[in-house]
Amino acid sequence: MANKTINVTKLPKDPGPAAWNTLVKEASRYPELTENIDVDWAIVGGGFAGLSAARRLSQLVGNKEKIVVLEAKCIADGPAGRNSGFMIDLPHELNSETYVGTHDKDRRQIRLNRAAIEFSREMAEEYVMEKAVFDACGKITAAASEKGIAHIRSYREHLDALGEHYELKNASEMKDWTGSEFYREGLFTPHSVMIQPAAFIRSVANGLSDRVSFFEASPVVSMGLGDVHTLTTPRGSVRAKNVILAVNGHIQSFGFFPRQLLHVFTYASMTRDLTENEVHKLGGRPDWGVLPADPMGTTVRRFSNYKGSGDRIVVRNHATLNQSIEVNDKSMKRAALLQERSFAARFPMLDEVKMEHRWGGRLCLSWNSMPAFGEVETRVWSACCQNGLGTVKGTLSGMMAAELAVLGTSSLLNEFLDYQAPKTLPPEPFLSLGANLTIRWKEWQSGIEL
Ligand SMILES: Cc1cc2nc3c(=O)[nH]c(=O)nc-3n(C[C@H](O)[C@H](O)[C@H](O)COP(=O)(O)OP(=O)(O)OC[C@H]3O[C@@H](n4cnc5c(N)ncnc54)[C@H](O)[C@@H]3O)c2cc1C
């Protein structure tokens, strides 16, 4: 008998296709939940947080306890298969103009991020992922304007203070790397990893599937809380002793962290497969990724070695705050315009290349960049709000939720738990109006970096 029932107010809606997932040819679909089952652990959400929670749980509880993952859509169709695939070890804010972090805090964040990347590396090895899926190749932050170069300068100063290694690249080295004459300077840091995000997530699910049961197209629409919790999906239910909610911003649709989460969408486009002639005109390396020095700038990736999916370029930019956790066509159209412009500025030699896929995806941030984490009801844990860098922070929060639930304490968990709650947001309509105007202003200010 449930003591309290939570009706889930919204289910995830993702605009456009999860382009990376369309490139994964192997069928690895899981069934919809169509019966009533009993388990020890139910994980809601099959992204980075959900899958790392599943793996860490399976390591901690052995084979005796039953674990299921319920995913509203298909594995890797949500944000986990829509991102740009940068697993970044360094605190992202280091190149922000408003950055006010402390070295102790940064070192702690780096240790935590690297532990999550190491956890991912172990999965990549165990599940035999090829280099094109998990590539420990480092990352480049690049600048095309004076403002961008100033961002790189301040980034370098922070890295010097932290004793972190980096290499500067000049304009000609950037051209050798990317084929583009657009970038004037770059800063390479060696410990980040580039993933094919959908292939990575699906390989992890596949690797776990002899130990964990996956259900796709099985959104949790209500959760009854009691001695045993009951998660209801449209055609079945799960009675679970323990629940981990790994739904990122949709934790709010379960009624938790009200008025504490910012729901931001960001957008991307992927070209069609480049022809041999176009690849020749482009030059540069076959696989690379560049993050913008200006935080409002454009992320670009070229990839060519993933299982016959072609030689393609992906550009990501533009952001909108959508507290309804949904976006309209207008935002998609604006993103498309901005991405056409960014692509043309960087790759004038590819003026005939069209975009094959355009999409958007959800991020969840908090005002003070803190996670929405912890035991939110008895034996219900949240591993949500990854503050934009969910490939690493999602992995981390999933691992940590499993450790908190099973062990209660661990040295990594003690470091991770040293944070505050997400801050309460300003009221609407001021929040959305103010935030969207600020984003537009900052995008405009970022000039050619966009
Ligand atoms: C265009 C773009 C580029 C990005 N680039 C990067 C990048 O380069 N590096 C980086 O680190 N991050 C990047 N991100 C962010 C990253 O994708 C997210 O932070 C990450 O996916 C969050 O992981 P997660 O597991 O917490 O949540 P998600 O990946 O969102 O997974 C949560 C899952 O929960 C499911 N769900 C929600 N509600 C329910 C329900 N009621 N029942 C069942 N299931 C439910 C959803 O369908 C979803 O699959 C990018 C995002 C976008 C959109």
Side-chain angles (χ1 to χ4, degrees):
M1 179 72 182
N3 299 333
K4 174 174 154 192
T5 298
I6 293 171
N7 290 316
V8 177
T9 52
K10 264 195 183 166
L11 295 177
K13 280 195 185 163
D14 302 295
W20 295 100
N21 206 14
T22 64
L23 304 179
V24 183
K25 304 277 185 313
E26 297 91 352
S28 72
R29 295 303 180 199
Y30 303 97
E32 181 186 349
L33 180 71
T34 53
E35 51 188 347
N36 305 327
I37 57 173
D38 284 78
V39 302
D40 299 286
W41 297 90
I43 297 167
V44 186
F48 290 91
L51 296 195
S52 69
R55 174 164 163 102
R56 191 72 190 110
L57 272 181
S58 68
Q59 291 172 334
L60 293 171
V61 301
N63 284 329
K64 300 179 302 286
E65 302 194 3
K66 262 189 170 174
I67 305 170
V68 296
V69 173
L70 299 172
E71 167 54 49
K73 310 185 83 184
C74 290
I75 299 287
D77 264 355
R82 291 168 179 263
N83 63 75
S84 305
F86 287 80
M87 283 193 147
I88 302 171
D89 60 324
L90 297 167
H92 207 40
E93 302 84 2
L94 286 184
N95 70 341
S96 147
E97 58 199 350
T98 54
Y99 172 70
V100 289
T102 64
H103 295 154
D104 278 354
K105 237 175 82 189
D106 290 336
R107 289 200 180 98
R108 185 174 62 94
Q109 189 63 58
I110 293 169
R111 278 195 299 277
L112 290 167
N113 290 351
R114 287 187 180 155
I117 292 176
E118 190 47 39
F119 190 76
S120 306
R121 187 191 318 278
E122 284 165 17
M123 295 193 277
E125 279 169 15
E126 193 175 325
Y127 306 141
V128 202
M129 292 183 206
E130 57 190 284
K131 195 167 183 293
V133 177
F134 186 93
D135 189 0
C137 59
K139 68 155 173 63
I140 290 195
T141 301
S145 64
E146 282 306 317
K147 192 160 173 260
I149 289 172
H151 276 292
I152 288 196
R153 198 177 313 120
S154 92
Y155 195 9
R156 278 171 54 197
E157 284 162 12
H158 291 305
L159 294 178
D160 283 336
L162 290 168
E164 287 293 331
H165 176 70
Y166 60 83
E167 286 164 31
L168 271 183
K169 309 262 169 222
N170 62 27
S172 124
E173 289 168 307
M174 286 305 294
K175 181 169 171 9
D176 291 346
W177 200 285
T178 63
S180 170
E181 292 182 349
F182 182 77
Y183 298 108
R184 289 170 54 189
E185 199 171 288
L187 183 138
F188 172 79
T189 50
H191 301 297
S192 293
V193 172
M194 305 288 301
I195 56 173
Q196 201 292 27
F200 175 84
I201 281 290
R202 285 179 54 177
S203 300
V204 171
N206 188 40
L208 284 170
S209 59
D210 55 356
R211 173 69 189 84
V212 174
S213 304
F214 287 88
F215 294 97
E216 294 183 321
S218 304
V220 173
V221 293
S222 75
M223 177 164 77
L225 300 170
D227 291 341
V228 175
H229 307 310
T230 305
L231 302 172
T232 307
T233 65
R235 297 178 64 206
S237 71
V238 176
R239 280 165 43 85
K241 291 182 194 147
N242 306 282
V243 175
I244 294 180
L245 296 174
V247 292
N248 209 13
H250 275 287
I251 188 72
Q252 206 164 294
S253 308
F254 285 76
F256 300 110
F257 303 96
R259 281 201 48 211
Q260 286 169 285
L261 305 179
L262 294 159
H263 304 287
V264 171
F265 279 73
T266 187
Y267 305 84
S269 302
M270 180 186 281
T271 65
R272 62 162 168 73
D273 183 11
L274 305 182
T275 63
E276 231 173 87
N277 185 33
E278 285 160 351
V279 166
H280 180 71
K281 280 200 281 184
L282 171 61
R285 297 181 173 211
D287 289 275
W288 51 266
V290 161
L291 287 166
D294 184 320
M296 297 309 287
T298 299
T299 304
V300 187
R301 260 190 89 167
R302 176 176 165 202
F303 68 97
S304 67
N305 283 316
Y306 178 66
K307 288 192 178 158
S309 61
D311 198 325
R312 297 169 189 256
I313 293 176
V314 177
V315 288
R316 184 217 57 84
N317 61 29
H318 194 41
T320 51
L321 181 79
N322 302 85
Q323 292 302 78
S324 61
I325 333 189
E326 286 173 20
V327 283
N328 54 28
D329 273 1
K330 211 170 116 207
S331 300
M332 289 286 283
K333 282 188 184 138
R334 176 159 168 78
L337 272 175
L338 291 173
Q339 285 156 19
E340 286 294 316
R341 203 180 75 188
S342 309
F343 185 80
R346 285 159 180 77
F347 306 108
M349 69 297 258
L350 301 180
D351 56 351
E352 288 178 3
V353 175
K354 297 272 175 274
M355 296 297 168
E356 187 167 302
H357 299 291
R358 295 191 192 278
W359 69 97
R362 274 168 285 119
L363 310 175
C364 177
L365 318 178
S366 64
W367 200 256
N368 49 350
S369 304
M370 295 293 152
F373 182 85
E375 191 170 2
V376 287
E377 290 282 353
T378 308
R379 284 172 291 98
V380 178
W381 291 268
S382 166
C384 297
C385 188
Q386 324 303 2
N387 286 290
L389 285 178
T391 64
V392 172
K393 290 192 175 180
T395 303
L396 184 65
S397 68
M399 293 158 67
M400 294 296 93
E403 292 198 2
L404 182 63
V406 178
L407 303 173
T409 180
S410 76
S411 55
L412 204 60
L413 187 58
N414 293 343
E415 286 214 87
F416 179 74
L417 285 177
D418 184 17
Y419 67 85
Q420 300 144 3
K423 242 178 160 174
T424 303
L425 300 171
E428 290 291 6
F430 307 105
L431 171 69
S432 291
L433 273 172
N436 280 312
L437 278 173
T438 310
I439 292 172
R440 284 292 271 266
W441 167 243
K442 288 197 168 183
E443 279 181 354
W444 182 77
Q445 271 194 322
S446 69
I448 61 163
E449 299 281 349
L450 187 64

